[in-house]
Amino acid sequence: MANPLEDDEGVYLVLVNDENQHSLWPAFRSVPAGWKVAHGEDTRKSCLEYVSAHWTDMRPASLVRAMDDEPRREASGA
């Protein structure tokens, strides 16, 4: 069986989780728990373009928040 994520003729979704991580997902599969649709049914190419445009920081959202808080903790002497 061919990999459903490599089917150029397939229909896909772009999913995103609470950590702002993105995933290309075959439209015929159920969206897994913890993920929501960020970009609706489209071609593989269009979904990959969406991911490239919107997932520009590979760090998990919790790490981004922690790193953003670090300068404030240092400034306050904590």
Side-chain angles (χ1 to χ4, degrees), residues 53-67:
H54 292 88
W55 193 21
T56 57
D57 188 343
M58 296 294 137
R59 298 175 298 164
S62 58
L63 177 60
V64 171
R65 286 189 300 273
M67 293 178 78

Side-chain angles (χ1 to χ4, degrees), residues 4-5 11-15 23-32 47:
L5 296 179
V11 179
Y12 296 90
L13 305 168
V14 176
L15 306 183
S23 178
L24 188 65
W25 197 252
F28 67 85
R29 291 210 173 152
S30 299
V31 175
C47 287

Side-chain angles (χ1 to χ4, degrees), residues 69-78:
D69 287 344
E70 188 63 31
R72 283 179 241 164
R73 282 187 288 228
E74 290 174 3
S76 68

Side-chain angles (χ1 to χ4, degrees), residues 10-16 22-29 31 36-51 54:
V11 179
Y12 296 90
L13 305 168
V14 176
L15 306 183
V16 65
H22 289 58
S23 178
L24 188 65
W25 197 252
F28 67 85
R29 291 210 173 152
V31 175
K36 62 183 178 182
V37 176
H39 181 76
E41 292 187 15
D42 210 337
T43 64
R44 182 176 189 272
K45 182 178 185 272
S46 292
C47 287
L48 289 173
E49 288 170 355
Y50 179 91
V51 170
H54 292 88

